[in-house]
Amino acid sequence: MTSTPTTPPRPFDVTTVFPQLAPLARTATRLHPRPGLPSPQDSSIGGPLLWPAGEQWPHCDGPHVVDGMNLALSPADVRLKRRIRAASRGRALTPQERKTLERIHPPREYPHKLAVAPYEGSVAMLPVAQLYARDVPDLQTPEGTDLLQVLWCPFDHPIMPKTALFWRAAATVADILATPPEPPAMQFDDYLPEPCLLNPEQVTEYPDHLELSKELQEQLGNWSLWQVADTGVDNAYASYPQEFYDSELAGAPGWKVGGWPRWGATDPTPRICPTCNSDMDALLTIATFEGDDSSWLPHEEPADEPPTGFDQFDPRQPTAVQIGSGYDQQLYVCPTAPEHPHAELMH
Ligand SMILES: [Zn+2]
Ligand SMILES: [Zn+2]
């Protein structure tokens, strides 16, 4: 068994050096997904949902267009491919495995046809996350609900999958839909989350330096303040200590609920509810990577053996999800009215 992933303490308490940050502190719940066998009663990524048998499964009407260079596979084929890859690690493929992979990825003729294949009709959405309020302290559930279900259409709309949110009271679900429909194809294999159990952990976060007041930005950029406080931060950061602040002290990387967004792909943009002009709250970060070499990488005892049938998961990418070329998809909700449409940003 693995031990619970635990975020190491921050290198130092940033509010002792920059006290004006203190009122901006927010908690976030890091989800620390790890491959497993979630049930509908578990909080999970890519796991089965507690979905009422009598309720229509969500579908997306498109448009769905696939570039002919991409082979849009079904979820079943992507699972098969991943299982073969895991089982054959360290040995040659068996003839049967090779045959299966050739069926999934037939040899292509050259030159490739650059056909564009549209998928007509509506496409069943895929489970992305199921979060019970009891497991996730930073999940703010609308009154009368204690469960959030996030699904997505595994096609780009136009640059990432389109998400749908469902809030429920878990106790009201009697009969669970046993075999939900699946999409016939997905734009990319990376849009099929590997089933993961969660190890929620609450951490404290601060805004990206670009979201701070001019005065605070100047303080953070003043290397002598860091030195006077004896923070021990490497001299390599002397000309731009904000970089250390953003990567090690501000927002945690990886899948999380609440907290402050990490920006990288784009500069921070305002998150305003288009319906009522309220400042929207960060709900869920769907991350490509759980972390890099930063101090946010959790401590955990590695398993001696991966669970049977599972790939030896890449600790940086346990869910196998990739957004863009390695970014995050962040979902925002309106704090005043949960029925106002949510927003999605890639960063
Ligand atoms: Zn769609
Ligand atoms: Zn609103």
PDB file of all heavy atoms in Angstrom, residues 60-64 153 155 157 162, ligand 1:
ATOM      1  N   CYS A  60     -23.524  15.724 -25.980  1.00  0.00           N
ATOM      2  CA  CYS A  60     -23.123  16.999 -26.564  1.00  0.00           C
ATOM      3  C   CYS A  60     -23.460  16.977 -28.049  1.00  0.00           C
ATOM      4  O   CYS A  60     -23.174  15.992 -28.731  1.00  0.00           O
ATOM      5  CB  CYS A  60     -21.629  17.225 -26.354  1.00  0.00           C
ATOM      6  SG  CYS A  60     -20.994  18.695 -27.188  1.00  0.00           S
ATOM      7  N   ASP A  61     -24.051  18.072 -28.518  1.00  0.00           N
ATOM      8  CA  ASP A  61     -24.511  18.124 -29.907  1.00  0.00           C
ATOM      9  C   ASP A  61     -23.457  18.611 -30.892  1.00  0.00           C
ATOM     10  O   ASP A  61     -23.736  18.761 -32.072  1.00  0.00           O
ATOM     11  CB  ASP A  61     -25.757  19.022 -30.005  1.00  0.00           C
ATOM     12  CG  ASP A  61     -26.946  18.368 -29.336  1.00  0.00           C
ATOM     13  OD1 ASP A  61     -26.986  17.120 -29.313  1.00  0.00           O
ATOM     14  OD2 ASP A  61     -27.821  19.085 -28.809  1.00  0.00           O
ATOM     15  N   GLY A  62     -22.269  18.894 -30.416  1.00  0.00           N
ATOM     16  CA  GLY A  62     -21.198  19.259 -31.346  1.00  0.00           C
ATOM     17  C   GLY A  62     -21.153  20.742 -31.645  1.00  0.00           C
ATOM     18  O   GLY A  62     -21.726  21.520 -30.897  1.00  0.00           O
ATOM     19  N   PRO A  63     -20.513  21.166 -32.711  1.00  0.00           N
ATOM     20  CA  PRO A  63     -19.946  20.346 -33.796  1.00  0.00           C
ATOM     21  C   PRO A  63     -18.676  19.593 -33.380  1.00  0.00           C
ATOM     22  O   PRO A  63     -17.912  20.076 -32.552  1.00  0.00           O
ATOM     23  CB  PRO A  63     -19.616  21.382 -34.870  1.00  0.00           C
ATOM     24  CG  PRO A  63     -19.375  22.648 -34.123  1.00  0.00           C
ATOM     25  CD  PRO A  63     -20.269  22.592 -32.916  1.00  0.00           C
ATOM     26  N   HIS A  64     -18.488  18.398 -33.976  1.00  0.00           N
ATOM     27  CA  HIS A  64     -17.338  17.551 -33.680  1.00  0.00           C
ATOM     28  C   HIS A  64     -16.594  17.240 -34.964  1.00  0.00           C
ATOM     29  O   HIS A  64     -17.101  16.541 -35.813  1.00  0.00           O
ATOM     30  CB  HIS A  64     -17.807  16.251 -33.021  1.00  0.00           C
ATOM     31  CG  HIS A  64     -18.556  16.483 -31.757  1.00  0.00           C
ATOM     32  ND1 HIS A  64     -19.821  16.024 -31.539  1.00  0.00           N
ATOM     33  CD2 HIS A  64     -18.217  17.172 -30.640  1.00  0.00           C
ATOM     34  CE1 HIS A  64     -20.230  16.398 -30.343  1.00  0.00           C
ATOM     35  NE2 HIS A  64     -19.275  17.101 -29.770  1.00  0.00           N
ATOM     36  N   CYS A 153     -17.334  16.506 -22.920  1.00  0.00           N
ATOM     37  CA  CYS A 153     -17.393  15.978 -24.276  1.00  0.00           C
ATOM     38  C   CYS A 153     -15.950  15.890 -24.758  1.00  0.00           C
ATOM     39  O   CYS A 153     -15.233  16.898 -24.768  1.00  0.00           O
ATOM     40  CB  CYS A 153     -18.186  16.906 -25.182  1.00  0.00           C
ATOM     41  SG  CYS A 153     -17.988  16.442 -26.914  1.00  0.00           S
ATOM     42  N   PHE A 155     -14.199  16.130 -27.235  1.00  0.00           N
ATOM     43  CA  PHE A 155     -13.793  16.799 -28.478  1.00  0.00           C
ATOM     44  C   PHE A 155     -13.461  18.250 -28.136  1.00  0.00           C
ATOM     45  O   PHE A 155     -14.007  18.800 -27.174  1.00  0.00           O
ATOM     46  CB  PHE A 155     -14.926  16.759 -29.517  1.00  0.00           C
ATOM     47  CG  PHE A 155     -15.079  15.418 -30.171  1.00  0.00           C
ATOM     48  CD1 PHE A 155     -15.828  14.423 -29.562  1.00  0.00           C
ATOM     49  CD2 PHE A 155     -14.452  15.144 -31.380  1.00  0.00           C
ATOM     50  CE1 PHE A 155     -15.958  13.165 -30.155  1.00  0.00           C
ATOM     51  CE2 PHE A 155     -14.581  13.893 -31.975  1.00  0.00           C
ATOM     52  CZ  PHE A 155     -15.332  12.903 -31.358  1.00  0.00           C
ATOM     53  N   HIS A 157     -13.627  22.107 -28.061  1.00  0.00           N
ATOM     54  CA  HIS A 157     -14.714  23.101 -28.226  1.00  0.00           C
ATOM     55  C   HIS A 157     -14.212  24.505 -27.924  1.00  0.00           C
ATOM     56  O   HIS A 157     -14.603  25.068 -26.902  1.00  0.00           O
ATOM     57  CB  HIS A 157     -15.874  22.770 -27.290  1.00  0.00           C
ATOM     58  CG  HIS A 157     -16.704  21.602 -27.707  1.00  0.00           C
ATOM     59  ND1 HIS A 157     -17.728  21.686 -28.590  1.00  0.00           N
ATOM     60  CD2 HIS A 157     -16.638  20.302 -27.328  1.00  0.00           C
ATOM     61  CE1 HIS A 157     -18.296  20.488 -28.744  1.00  0.00           C
ATOM     62  NE2 HIS A 157     -17.641  19.632 -27.994  1.00  0.00           N
ATOM     63  N   LYS A 162     -15.484  20.278 -23.626  1.00  0.00           N
ATOM     64  CA  LYS A 162     -16.536  21.104 -23.022  1.00  0.00           C
ATOM     65  C   LYS A 162     -17.094  20.369 -21.807  1.00  0.00           C
ATOM     66  O   LYS A 162     -17.479  19.208 -21.898  1.00  0.00           O
ATOM     67  CB  LYS A 162     -17.644  21.349 -24.040  1.00  0.00           C
ATOM     68  CG  LYS A 162     -18.716  22.286 -23.536  1.00  0.00           C
ATOM     69  CD  LYS A 162     -19.650  22.719 -24.642  1.00  0.00           C
ATOM     70  CE  LYS A 162     -20.654  21.635 -25.005  1.00  0.00           C
ATOM     71  NZ  LYS A 162     -21.513  22.010 -26.132  1.00  0.00           N
TER      72      LYS A 162
HETATM   73 ZN    ZN B   1     -19.014  18.109 -27.972  1.00  0.00          ZN
END
